[in-house]
């Protein structure tokens, strides 16, 4: 299946801004995060088709996954 | 017509009353500058200092701002700019909370910091600054760390709370306190080139969704630091939200987060 992955802020460095990526059926959000080597402790909001999701959710053909790093300074 | 109202009418040019007359009124009638300003706005006179606000805000809205209290948690990167802008906007009462003193590494970005103030209290410096730029505004300086135990007491009476803290644990405490008190929270956070802003009303769950999964460890700001411009840009979005909450104007960043990327010069409206 093909999934659109959008990365934001620091997660773009050495990766990409937006990419159409092929994954096996039943791939989870967490498996995409691992595939992209995004550090768990840096994870902020994760949105699947504009809805907040956890890492266990399975992806489907045509989904758009947006991943933001945790921003906490002030 | 009272003597004070007669004085305003005599001193006014159109509906504007100049600063000099406001000072004179405070002396003549033994009132604080704030009490004079409140009386002016209530009677429909606009202090001259706010004349460039008038295409955006009516005198009644300016009066509402002056009668409002905003608590700002943190007087550092975001907080310094937030406090400056709230005072210039004409918010009558500001509670500024920060336990820290200025350190050298603050000088690249924190508006209230300067070499002569290294080692000085951030909250007390905010008070001195506000007294300098808008003496009609009352700033209550609190040199304490905001936490779940003291939070409700520290922000009691605030109409809006502004999140300008620099850590996740304090944000979670702020979230709980604002929910309990039923007060809107204008959240902002920064890291390097990036920032985000969102407005949470009681019952909304923005902070929980953003930080609920975090173990209170710092975000990417611990690697990126923060430059001079990201706090100012992000704080300005926060103050615009405060202005709209109090005045009732415009659309709020409610149920959404504005992600600001100053490196790519992009913003992303993220639904929550």
């Amino acid at each position: 299946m093909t999934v659109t992955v959008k990365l934001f802020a620091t997660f773009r460095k050495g990766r990409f801004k937006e990419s159409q990526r092929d994954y096996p059926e039943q791939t989870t959000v967490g498996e995409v995060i691992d595939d992209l080597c995004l550090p768990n402790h840096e994870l902020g909001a994760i949105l699947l088709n504009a809805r907040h999701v956890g890492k266990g959710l399975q992806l489907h053909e045509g989904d758009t996954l947006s991943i933001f790093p945790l921003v906490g300074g002030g | 017509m009272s003597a004070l109202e007669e004085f305003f009418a005599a001193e006014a040019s159109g509906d504007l009353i100049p600063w000099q007359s406001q000072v004179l009124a405070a002396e003549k009638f033994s009132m604080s500058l704030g009490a004079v300003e409140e009386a002016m706005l209530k009677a429909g006179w606009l202090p001259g200092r706010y004349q460039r606000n008038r295409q955006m805000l009516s005198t009644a809205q300016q009066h509402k701002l002056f009668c409002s209290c905003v608590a700002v948690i943190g007087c550092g990167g975001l907080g310094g700019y937030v406090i400056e802008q709230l005072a210039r906007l004409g918010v009558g009462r500001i509670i500024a909370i920060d336990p820290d003193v200025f350190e050298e590494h603050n000088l690249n970005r924190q508006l209230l910091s300067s070499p002569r103030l290294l080692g000085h209290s951030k909250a007390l410096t905010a008070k001195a600054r506000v007294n300098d730029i808008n003496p009609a505004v009352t700033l209550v300086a609190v040199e304490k760390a905001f936490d779940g135990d003291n939070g409700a007491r520290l922000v009691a009476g605030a109409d809006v709370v502004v999140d300008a803290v620099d850590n996740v644990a304090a944000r979670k405490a702020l979230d709980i306190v604002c929910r309990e008190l039923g007060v809107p929270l204008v959240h902002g956070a920064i890291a390097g080139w990036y920032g985000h802003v969102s407005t949470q009303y009681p019952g909304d769950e923005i902070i929980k969704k953003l930080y609920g999964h975090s173990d209170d460890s710092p975000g990417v700001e611990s690697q990126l630091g923060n430059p001079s411009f990201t706090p100012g840009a992000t704080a300005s979005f926060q103050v615009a939200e405060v202005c709209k909450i109090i005045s009732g104007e415009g659309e709020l960043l409610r149920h959404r987060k504005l992600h600001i990327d100053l490196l790519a010069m992009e913003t992303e409206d993220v639904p929550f």
Side-chain angles (χ1 to χ4, degrees):
Chain A
M1 62 178 174
T2 302
V3 172
T4 302
V5 180
K6 292 183 177 178
L7 300 179
F8 292 88
T10 46
F11 286 169
R12 290 179 179 176
K13 197 170 182 181
R15 296 185 189 90
F16 53 85
K17 179 176 169 182
E18 182 173 335
S19 175
Q20 313 281 326
R21 301 175 73 82
D22 291 322
Y23 289 104
E25 295 294 326
Q26 299 183 333
T27 297
T28 63
V29 170
E31 285 165 344
V32 173
I33 287 167
D34 291 343
D35 175 52
L36 295 170
C37 301
L38 298 171
N40 269 301
H41 66 277
E42 291 184 9
L43 287 174
I46 305 168
L47 286 95
L48 184 62
N49 306 328
R51 288 197 57 164
H52 282 259
V53 295
K55 290 194 286 184
L57 204 74
Q58 286 185 358
L59 301 172
H60 296 93
E61 172 69 30
D63 279 348
T64 297
L65 183 65
S66 302
I67 311 171
F68 294 80
L70 189 75
V71 169
Chain B
M1 192 184 277
S2 73
L4 183 61
E5 284 165 2
E6 280 176 16
F7 181 85
F8 290 155
E11 295 287 318
S13 168
D15 67 342
L16 292 179
I17 295 181
W19 174 247
Q20 212 175 4
S21 302
Q22 188 172 341
V23 173
L24 207 59
E27 288 170 6
K28 191 174 163 69
F29 296 96
S30 301
M31 296 166 74
S32 69
L33 288 163
V36 173
E37 186 154 316
E38 205 278 322
M40 282 160 64
L41 287 162
K42 191 177 178 186
W45 304 106
L46 188 66
R49 65 176 301 132
Y50 302 124
Q51 58 190 294
R52 292 291 188 270
N53 286 357
R54 70 150 91 235
Q55 297 309 319
M56 300 163 48
L57 299 166
S58 66
T59 300
Q61 287 170 319
Q62 197 70 58
H63 182 229
K64 201 170 176 205
L65 283 167
F66 195 77
C67 294
S68 296
C69 175
V70 177
V72 183
I73 322 301
C75 303
L78 292 172
Y81 285 98
V82 168
I83 290 164
E84 173 93 7
Q85 292 179 23
L86 290 175
R88 290 190 186 276
L89 182 64
V91 169
R93 188 177 176 85
I94 301 167
I95 303 169
I97 302 172
D98 200 311
D100 294 337
V101 297
F102 287 113
E103 297 180 64
E104 191 167 352
H105 58 83
N106 301 149
L107 291 171
N108 79 322
R109 69 193 184 284
Q110 297 194 10
L111 182 66
L112 300 173
S113 68
S114 64
R116 73 179 170 84
L117 292 172
L118 293 177
H120 284 65
S121 155
K122 294 184 180 183
L124 291 178
T125 301
K127 185 179 176 71
R129 174 69 181 165
V130 165
N131 190 50
D132 192 31
I133 58 176
N134 193 350
V137 170
T138 301
L139 188 137
V140 180
V142 181
E143 296 175 273
K144 286 180 182 159
F146 180 98
D147 61 35
D149 294 329
N150 66 14
R153 187 167 40 82
L154 296 185
V155 303
D159 300 294
V160 183
V161 174
V162 179
D163 170 2
V165 301
D166 62 358
N167 67 87
V168 173
R171 283 204 168 87
K172 288 181 179 174
L174 200 47
D175 175 34
I176 293 166
V177 166
C178 289
R179 284 161 180 284
E180 284 174 359
L181 295 177
V183 179
L185 172 64
V186 179
H187 163 65
I190 50 174
W193 297 90
Y194 317 106
H196 68 235
V197 180
S198 184
T199 292
Q200 173 175 287
Y201 270 65
D204 300 347
E205 295 192 319
I206 296 287
I207 300 293
K208 203 171 166 186
K209 284 177 177 169
L210 272 171
Y211 299 103
H213 64 283
S214 166
D215 60 1
D216 294 357
S217 55
V220 289
E221 69 281 359
S222 59
Q223 307 148 37
L224 300 174
N226 278 302
S228 63
F229 45 82
T230 310
T234 306
S236 296
F237 279 98
Q238 289 183 280
V239 175
E241 288 292 276
V242 173
C243 180
K244 290 182 292 177
I245 290 169
I246 295 171
S247 68
E249 291 287 334
E251 301 294 323
L252 294 172
L253 279 169
R254 201 173 164 199
H255 305 301
R256 57 198 177 109
K257 174 193 84 162
L258 188 70
H259 169 78
I260 304 157
D261 181 337
L262 298 171
L263 185 62
M265 275 304 172
E266 291 175 357
T267 57
E268 182 87 10
D269 203 337
V270 186
F272 270 84

